[in-house]
Amino acid sequence: EDGSVTLSSPDGYHFLLVDDSVADPVVGSDPVLLVSLWVQDLAAALRFWEGSLGMSLAGSREAVPGATSLPNAAWLRFHGDSGPVLELVELPAGTDVDRGEAFGRLAFATARSPALIHDELLEAGRILPEGSEIPPIGSGLSAAAEGAAEASGRALHAPVSLSTPGKPDVEVAIFQDTNGHEVCLVGAGGFSALATHTPGADFINWTAR
């Protein structure tokens, strides 16, 4: 009745497609309105996404199509960002996050150097070095109660610069939260230059691939 339809990919991911007339007043021109992740412990997840990475809580029950009405959820954005909302939804007590073989990785573009952000988070103790064990879930304390300086995730890989022959390098840094979700910070400048359209790029030579 509201013009929306839910699709499921072969991997089991669900996509809610909504009419533009519903979406336009909510989130600018970005075609993605919201990304929703299950978490085992919402407070522990907020210590990473809010306390460590610096995202801000968006207004609860934002009028975003597809957002849950459950009380055990939170909506976040990076400061000043009007793009998609990140929704964290807590599973019933004792239920683990099960992604099968999926990594559960999200990527965010950043105007700042991902390597610089990585180093600052490590120096401030807001994330653990790569190879560290992430503190167990279950403290039940909020990000404010714990304090932003407590490590709540880890660097999954040291920052790297990805090269493509004849195109700009792209700098990335990858982190992991207590639920095993991965977040990749991508240098916006290099990625934007890499993603520019080139003549013929809309044709895929499947035989060659």
Side-chain angles (χ1 to χ4, degrees):
E1 294 180 357
D2 61 3
S4 66
V5 60
T6 300
L7 304 179
S8 295
S9 75
D11 299 303
Y13 291 104
H14 299 290
F15 296 84
L16 177 68
L17 307 183
V18 300
D19 190 275
D20 281 343
S21 61
V22 176
D24 281 346
V26 181
V27 180
S29 59
D30 198 301
V32 178
L33 301 180
L34 174 142
V35 176
S36 186
L37 296 178
W38 288 115
V39 296
Q40 186 177 346
D41 184 295
L42 184 58
L46 287 175
R47 285 200 296 275
F48 173 77
W49 295 95
E50 184 185 10
S52 294
L53 289 191
M55 297 190 81
S56 300
L57 286 172
S60 61
R61 305 296 187 273
E62 279 201 5
V64 178
T68 183
S69 59
L70 297 173
N72 55 332
W75 297 263
L76 302 109
R77 280 195 177 109
F78 282 108
H79 179 70
D81 183 18
S82 61
V85 174
L86 174 64
E87 177 184 70
L88 304 176
V89 183
E90 187 177 64
L91 289 163
T95 306
D96 294 333
V97 177
D98 181 10
R99 289 185 305 276
E101 296 181 0
F103 291 106
R105 179 180 295 174
L106 295 177
F108 295 91
T110 170
R112 298 187 65 217
S113 162
L116 180 60
I117 295 174
H118 166 276
D119 293 345
E120 289 177 350
L121 293 178
L122 277 178
E123 184 176 350
R126 289 162 63 183
I127 60 167
L128 297 170
E130 48 268 22
S132 301
E133 291 294 326
I134 299 177
I137 286 176
S139 66
L141 297 177
S142 67
E146 284 287 327
E150 179 176 335
S152 55
R154 65 176 176 178
L156 191 61
H157 301 291
V160 296
S161 182
L162 304 177
S163 61
T164 301
K167 296 184 178 181
D169 292 345
V170 179
E171 190 178 48
V172 301
I174 304 175
F175 308 100
Q176 188 177 53
D177 76 349
T178 53
N179 293 278
H181 296 306
E182 298 179 10
V183 51
C184 179
L185 299 185
V186 183
F191 180 78
S192 296
L194 183 67
T196 55
H197 182 268
T198 54
D202 52 350
F203 171 77
I204 300 176
N205 187 334
W206 292 107
T207 302
R209 291 174 67 90

